[in-house]
Every structure is written in C-alpha cells, then in structure tokens.
Amino acid sequence: MTDSAAARLAWRVEEAELNAYPPVRQVWLSGWLVRFSEGGPRRGSNSASPLLPDCDASDRLINTVTALYRRRGSAPLFRVPSIIPAEIDERLAACGWSREGDSCVLYGEMRAMAAETDRCVRLSPAPSTAWFAAMAQLQGRTREQSAVYRRNITAIALPSAFAALAIDGRPAALAYAVVHDGLLCYQSVITARDYRRRGLARRIVAALAAWGGENGAMAACLQVEAGNAPARALYAGCGMTLEISRYHYRRSPPGVAK
C-alpha cells in the first residue's frame, strides 16, 4: 500500500469511527469536530477531533476550542491522531497540556476476518433496555454516565447491530458494530470479569463480522488502547492485523480546565 493510499484509508476509518459513536452535541470548526457529551465516560465523544489533514493548528483555534469547553463546564480535550502534522501536538505540549489515552486503530479485510454466525449471540438492530442495563453493569458506569452513553448510542444513524452473549442467564459479553462506507466499525467490546479468557469476545466479534459481511462491509476496524496487549492479540486473531494509525489525547492544564 502506498503512503497516499494508507493515508486515505486512515481518514476513511476516522470518519467511520466518528459516526459510530456520535456525541450529544458538536461544533464544526476550522477542520475540527468539537464534540460534547456532557460528562460522558468516553474521551472520544468529549474531545476535539480533526476532520482534515490540514486542519487549523493555530493558537486561535486552541483558544476557541478551550473557550467552547469552558462555556459548558468541561475540561478542554484534543484528540491527536498520527495522520495530522505534529504542529498542534507540539504546541499543546509546550503549553503544558498533558498526554493520555495512547491508542491504535486496527484494520482488517473482511475476507481475513473470523466471521461466523452463533446461535448463542443475540443480534438486534437497536439496543434494548436489557442491553443498556447489561452494558452499564459490565462497564461499571455511574447512572449519569450510563444515561449519556444511552443518548449517544440512540443518536447513531448508521446500520447497526447490537450483540449480547449470555451464560446461565447472565450477560457475559457485549458489543455493537456499525457499517459505514463498506467498513464494519466495532465499538464497546466487553466481557464480564467472571467470564474472561473463555473466547466469548471472539465469538461476539465473529458474529458481528458475519452480520457486517451480509450488510456490505468489505473490511473491519476498531480502536484499542495501545498498551492492551491481550485485546490487541484477540483482535489480531480475529483478522484485524494492520495498525493503520495511532492517536492520543491532550488535556488542558488544571488552571485552564474550567
């Protein structure tokens, strides 16, 4: 794959990931999408993400984004992918913005994915009340955080499948995925602590891959923390073997947060 083709693919995946977990509110500003989820648990839906490789990296842009978050009582946060020039990251670092959440974006062609229907994995085109309750339990989120997550999920406009695998009547593994521009984008893959290392996440991923293939997906993508070796091994074993980009966050110094 040429450098230009790799860059185009990375931006295509960025678009899919943004659409797979929409925020409660957002502002489009100088090549950035400034996302707000009112205290939600995910950094991605409460941060400014670039939409273009030549996005604004000026002090004016940083100050404007900071003011937008301060206005809503939130800590300013930038999501900085490796596919944009280093200028804004260097500028934020020089101003004392801390780095956190180093992650990578994985990709795999659908023909290499472990796709398999599973009668024990229940798939639904919309999340049920029980699915939301199980996700809140497995994620260990507060009631407020769960409410924000629910608002974000119900805002998804793309074709979606919500997966659940129960063991002895108890939720054991959950995830959902969306299809956008031929990409199957995985989100919220989680296994209950008591049921880990039993291959349940692999079954969820495979069932969603089968659904994605039936709904026009030609490849799959997923974001994962860079240091999560077990998760990366799991997804590589499922067929997502190519790391197409990385990203991290820059959080404002405490005195600038509100």
Side-chain angles (χ1 to χ4, degrees):
M1 186 183 300
T2 65
D3 289 346
S4 60
R8 288 195 299 271
L9 175 59
W11 280 106
R12 183 170 155 232
V13 171
E14 282 285 303
E15 182 178 278
E17 295 285 353
L18 289 172
N19 285 328
Y21 192 74
V24 175
R25 295 179 177 84
Q26 61 187 28
V27 174
W28 190 9
L29 175 69
S30 300
W32 290 83
L33 191 63
V34 188
R35 293 153 60 90
F36 305 89
S37 286
E38 310 299 340
R42 288 194 175 186
R43 284 173 292 203
S45 59
N46 270 312
S47 59
S49 290
L51 295 173
L52 303 166
D54 58 349
C55 56
D56 190 355
S58 66
D59 287 337
R60 181 196 64 82
L61 180 278
I62 294 172
N63 292 337
T64 302
V65 170
T66 298
L68 286 171
Y69 281 110
R70 289 178 60 189
R71 182 173 178 269
R72 303 205 66 84
S74 300
L77 193 66
F78 278 86
R79 180 177 173 276
V80 186
S82 59
I83 52 177
I84 63 172
E87 180 183 356
I88 193 163
D89 192 49
E90 294 169 350
R91 193 182 296 269
L92 291 168
C95 293
W97 290 58
S98 60
R99 177 170 176 158
E100 61 184 59
D102 287 69
S103 302
C104 55
V105 181
L106 304 180
Y107 173 89
E109 298 291 336
M110 192 59 68
R111 61 177 177 268
M113 291 289 294
E116 184 177 356
T117 57
D118 188 325
R119 62 182 180 83
C120 294
V121 177
R122 298 185 61 182
L123 298 181
S124 173
S128 64
T129 300
W131 189 91
F132 277 124
M135 183 62 75
Q137 177 186 340
L138 268 57
Q139 289 181 332
R141 301 301 187 183
T142 66
R143 180 176 297 181
E144 178 187 12
Q145 290 172 337
S146 296
V148 172
Y149 180 84
R150 183 168 188 157
R151 288 198 299 271
N152 289 1
I153 294 299
T154 54
I156 296 172
L158 299 172
S160 309
F162 295 82
L165 175 57
I167 302 293
D168 296 328
R170 296 174 56 193
L174 300 169
Y176 77 89
V178 304
V179 172
H180 172 72
D181 190 24
L183 291 171
L184 178 69
C185 184
Y186 288 97
Q187 295 282 329
S188 297
V189 181
I190 190 167
T191 303
R193 186 176 299 276
D194 294 343
Y195 294 105
R196 292 175 184 171
R197 301 185 184 278
R198 299 189 188 183
L200 302 186
R202 183 181 297 273
R203 290 171 62 182
I204 286 272
V205 169
L208 286 169
W211 171 85
E214 294 170 357
N215 286 270
M218 302 299 292
C221 58
L222 179 141
Q223 298 174 341
V224 63
E225 290 186 3
N228 191 340
R232 295 192 63 176
L234 164 68
Y235 300 131
C238 291
M240 288 174 282
T241 58
L242 178 63
E243 180 183 308
I244 60 171
S245 65
R246 290 200 170 204
Y247 66 88
H248 59 269
Y249 295 91
R250 287 287 182 182
R251 187 177 296 275
S252 66
V256 184
K258 295 184 180 180

